[in-house]
Amino acid sequence: MTRLANAFAKPALVCFVTAGDGDTAANLDALVEGGADVIELGMPFTDPMADGPAIQEANIRSLAKGTTTADIFAIAAAFRARHPDTPLVLMGYANPMIRRGPEWFANQCEAAGVDGVICVDIPPEEDAALGPALRAKGVAPIRLATPTTDAARLPQVLNGSGGFLYYVSVAGITGKQQAAMASIEDAVARLKAATDIPVAVGFGVRTPEQASAIAKVADGVVVGSALVELVAEHGEDAPAALRELTSALAHAVHSAR
Amino acid sequence: MTDATTDTMTDRANSFRNQPDEQGHFGDYGGRYVAETLMPLVLDLEREYRAAQADPAFKAEFDDLLEHYVGRPSPLYFAERLTDALGGAQVWFKRDELNHTGAHKINNCIGQILLAIRMGKTRIIAETGAGQHGVATATVCARFGLPCVIYMGATDVARQQPNVFRMKLLGAEVIPVTSGAATLKDAMNEGLRDWVANVHDTFYIIGTAAGPHPYPEMVRDFQSIIGIEARAQMLSRVGRLPDLLVACIGGGSNALGLFHPFLDDPEVKMLGVEAAGHGLDKAHAASLTGGAPGVLHGNKTYLLQDEDGQITEGHSISAGLDYPGIGPEHAWLKENGRVEYTSVTDDEALEGFQLLCRTEGIIPALEPSHAIAAVAKVAKTMPNDAIILANLCGRGDKDIFTVAEALGVEI
């Protein structure tokens, strides 16, 4: 079993923070201590067009501090050394990932112990830009499904995807409103009927109550903007606040069923 | 298979006009690098565009509006005094600055809003830099009675107040974008964020031949009226094709509009002119000359970026050329060598601007002033019977404040 498959053996809490925003190593440790099952490490980009204000600002804070791609892989590799069993996935946009070629990026992922990659702007139609290189190194290309992904299109999204399927529950950007629970339940049922890989639900999930409701039907719950806002508020002192929120979310997710 | 069929297939294989492929790729460039939420939309847009292309009624309405609303065909004009001043090749201009709204942008907006209406969309969004595409979009929205939201970088809102007011007069809502560097690329990010959240009712009118497939192809097709007219006008006026086409390039829609109908005429050379800003070793907006391939705003193309793939800011005195990318078809035309690309600095463009004012009584926009500066350099190296055709893609009324400031004049 891979780290990701293990993590989703029970309902999993997936926690996102942006690399280079605040004391990232301490932030990641706090997420794990709070009970996060999977870590999503955001790669900052100058033009994060799928993100709302909270994550946009985190990208700007990180890049203003001079965060480089090398720094991000150093953060990932150090995390892997401290937490050998916690899956870590990178999330970001295509251009920083393919800048030095997809093989270079996949090699770096493998060397740093990165389990999967979520690339927002490489849909299955453009898989050749990164997917083959990741799969060749055993790094899972994690695809996104959305409310606009219809039944006819879903097989194409699933073909070649790995790790887990990230269901974006609202047509919109990160950190905004949550979708109605009924629509999430319907969508997750539809997705799970089409694939054996775990289905995690994100976008707009902020509270333990929301997380608990989603964990009743899905394999995982993704929380990002609410955590990133804590980093914005507390800066270098964010770990305590992150640990507290993560702990509440983890309890809600793990006791949902 | 008959010989004729074989010939046709060979012609197609050898054509520069057969791009993009079915996946929207121009060689390695182009494509559909968008979030999954938008993917079904761009596929739907492509289906609807193909249906519109096959519908004679769509073309008839497009042509009718271009003639009676935009004022096409635009004139083909021999710039005799400029030719004499430069001393070399004859310089001709395609006068797209005489279009309604004063630039070529309106051609594309007419096409896209007809498509939006055909698709049953009830709300229009667009991004704008200098405001020309925003004004053209607001214009067609007023003409067809659709609500219009224009995203514009807060920096550009501050320095392009006349165009902001024009858009508001036309009934558009102008939303200043403060994220990132608050310029054109950030306005485009915000347009994409709006689109992704309003997929059911909203049509995004992209202003240049860039973005996810089918936008680069579609914008090129709508703008190709420039080259189609120019080619016929040239043959009718002088009985032959020009030796050299010249056009400025930001995203590259006016250049593709002129170039595309001539791509398979091997005797016609083409020169695309990017903005070198303060110089290629300083702040500039020359993505092909000074950038590298990457992915931004839905397509793979040449981008201004650092070694980690972070996008860097473009600079040009012309806000319409101030974008860190370029349409993917230009990236392909550069790599296969069919079009040559050069760049012109702010100072050279200002000289071109003043030269055309004084020799021809035409105040050009700063964007085609780059093309004029390039023409001034190459005309004198060509014989007197050679013909250069440059696209005068916009008029300069919007730029007089910028030019006055650059020349140290208070108005």
Short mmCIF file of all heavy atoms in Angstrom, two decimals, chain A residues 10 34 47 74 85 94-95 98 125 155 179 182 198 225-226 229 250:
data_model
loop_
_atom_site.label_atom_id
_atom_site.label_comp_id
_atom_site.label_asym_id
_atom_site.label_seq_id
_atom_site.Cartn_x
_atom_site.Cartn_y
_atom_site.Cartn_z
N LYS A 10 -9.38 5.13 5.99
CA LYS A 10 -10.52 5.69 6.74
C LYS A 10 -10.71 7.13 6.26
O LYS A 10 -9.84 7.65 5.57
CB LYS A 10 -10.22 5.66 8.24
CG LYS A 10 -8.95 6.43 8.61
CD LYS A 10 -8.74 6.45 10.10
CE LYS A 10 -7.41 7.10 10.51
NZ LYS A 10 -7.09 8.37 9.89
N GLY A 34 -1.86 18.01 14.60
CA GLY A 34 -3.30 18.22 14.79
C GLY A 34 -4.14 17.07 14.25
O GLY A 34 -5.33 16.97 14.55
N ASP A 47 0.36 33.99 -10.88
CA ASP A 47 -0.94 34.15 -11.52
C ASP A 47 -1.89 33.00 -11.17
O ASP A 47 -2.27 32.22 -12.04
CB ASP A 47 -0.76 34.28 -13.02
CG ASP A 47 0.00 35.55 -13.38
OD1 ASP A 47 1.24 35.56 -13.28
OD2 ASP A 47 -0.66 36.55 -13.69
N ALA A 74 13.04 21.60 -1.03
CA ALA A 74 13.77 21.43 0.23
C ALA A 74 12.79 21.27 1.39
O ALA A 74 12.99 20.44 2.28
CB ALA A 74 14.70 22.63 0.46
N ASP A 85 5.69 8.70 7.13
CA ASP A 85 4.46 8.00 6.76
C ASP A 85 3.32 8.92 6.30
O ASP A 85 2.28 8.42 5.88
CB ASP A 85 3.95 7.17 7.95
CG ASP A 85 4.98 6.15 8.40
OD1 ASP A 85 5.68 5.61 7.51
OD2 ASP A 85 5.12 5.92 9.62
N ALA A 94 0.68 24.97 -13.83
CA ALA A 94 1.56 24.26 -14.75
C ALA A 94 2.92 24.93 -14.93
O ALA A 94 3.95 24.24 -14.95
CB ALA A 94 0.86 24.14 -16.12
N ASN A 95 2.94 26.24 -15.09
CA ASN A 95 4.20 26.84 -15.55
C ASN A 95 5.40 26.60 -14.64
O ASN A 95 6.45 26.20 -15.13
CB ASN A 95 4.02 28.33 -15.85
CG ASN A 95 5.05 28.84 -16.82
OD1 ASN A 95 5.29 28.20 -17.85
ND2 ASN A 95 5.71 29.93 -16.48
N ILE A 98 6.54 22.87 -15.14
CA ILE A 98 7.17 22.37 -16.37
C ILE A 98 8.30 23.27 -16.84
O ILE A 98 8.89 23.02 -17.90
CB ILE A 98 6.13 22.21 -17.51
CG1 ILE A 98 5.52 23.56 -17.89
CG2 ILE A 98 5.05 21.21 -17.11
CD1 ILE A 98 4.64 23.48 -19.13
N GLU A 125 -6.83 16.61 -21.28
CA GLU A 125 -6.50 16.87 -22.69
C GLU A 125 -5.04 17.24 -22.88
O GLU A 125 -4.48 17.04 -23.96
CB GLU A 125 -7.37 18.01 -23.23
CG GLU A 125 -8.79 17.61 -23.60
CD GLU A 125 -9.72 17.47 -22.42
OE1 GLU A 125 -9.26 17.63 -21.26
OE2 GLU A 125 -10.91 17.18 -22.62
N PRO A 155 -14.94 9.59 -17.55
CA PRO A 155 -13.93 8.56 -17.82
C PRO A 155 -12.59 9.14 -18.29
O PRO A 155 -11.52 8.64 -17.94
CB PRO A 155 -14.58 7.71 -18.93
CG PRO A 155 -16.04 7.93 -18.77
CD PRO A 155 -16.19 9.35 -18.29
N ALA A 179 -20.71 24.37 -1.32
CA ALA A 179 -21.86 23.87 -2.07
C ALA A 179 -22.89 23.29 -1.11
O ALA A 179 -22.58 22.94 0.04
CB ALA A 179 -21.41 22.81 -3.06
N ALA A 182 -26.52 18.41 -0.27
CA ALA A 182 -27.21 17.43 -1.12
C ALA A 182 -26.50 17.27 -2.45
O ALA A 182 -26.35 16.15 -2.96
CB ALA A 182 -28.66 17.86 -1.34
N PRO A 198 -9.85 6.85 -4.11
CA PRO A 198 -10.59 7.65 -3.12
C PRO A 198 -11.06 8.98 -3.71
O PRO A 198 -10.42 9.53 -4.60
CB PRO A 198 -9.56 7.88 -2.01
CG PRO A 198 -8.50 6.86 -2.22
CD PRO A 198 -8.46 6.57 -3.69
N SER A 225 -8.24 27.33 2.40
CA SER A 225 -8.28 28.77 2.67
C SER A 225 -8.39 29.09 4.16
O SER A 225 -7.78 30.04 4.65
CB SER A 225 -9.43 29.42 1.90
OG SER A 225 -9.19 29.34 0.51
N ALA A 226 -9.19 28.30 4.91
CA ALA A 226 -9.36 28.58 6.34
C ALA A 226 -8.04 28.48 7.08
O ALA A 226 -7.76 29.24 8.01
CB ALA A 226 -10.39 27.62 6.94
N GLU A 229 -5.72 31.41 5.96
CA GLU A 229 -6.09 32.65 6.63
C GLU A 229 -5.46 32.74 8.02
O GLU A 229 -5.12 33.84 8.49
CB GLU A 229 -7.62 32.76 6.73
CG GLU A 229 -8.25 33.15 5.40
CD GLU A 229 -9.76 32.96 5.37
OE1 GLU A 229 -10.36 32.76 6.45
OE2 GLU A 229 -10.32 33.01 4.26
N ALA A 250 -9.93 17.33 12.30
CA ALA A 250 -9.58 15.91 12.26
C ALA A 250 -10.54 15.09 13.12
O ALA A 250 -10.99 14.01 12.72
CB ALA A 250 -8.13 15.72 12.75
#
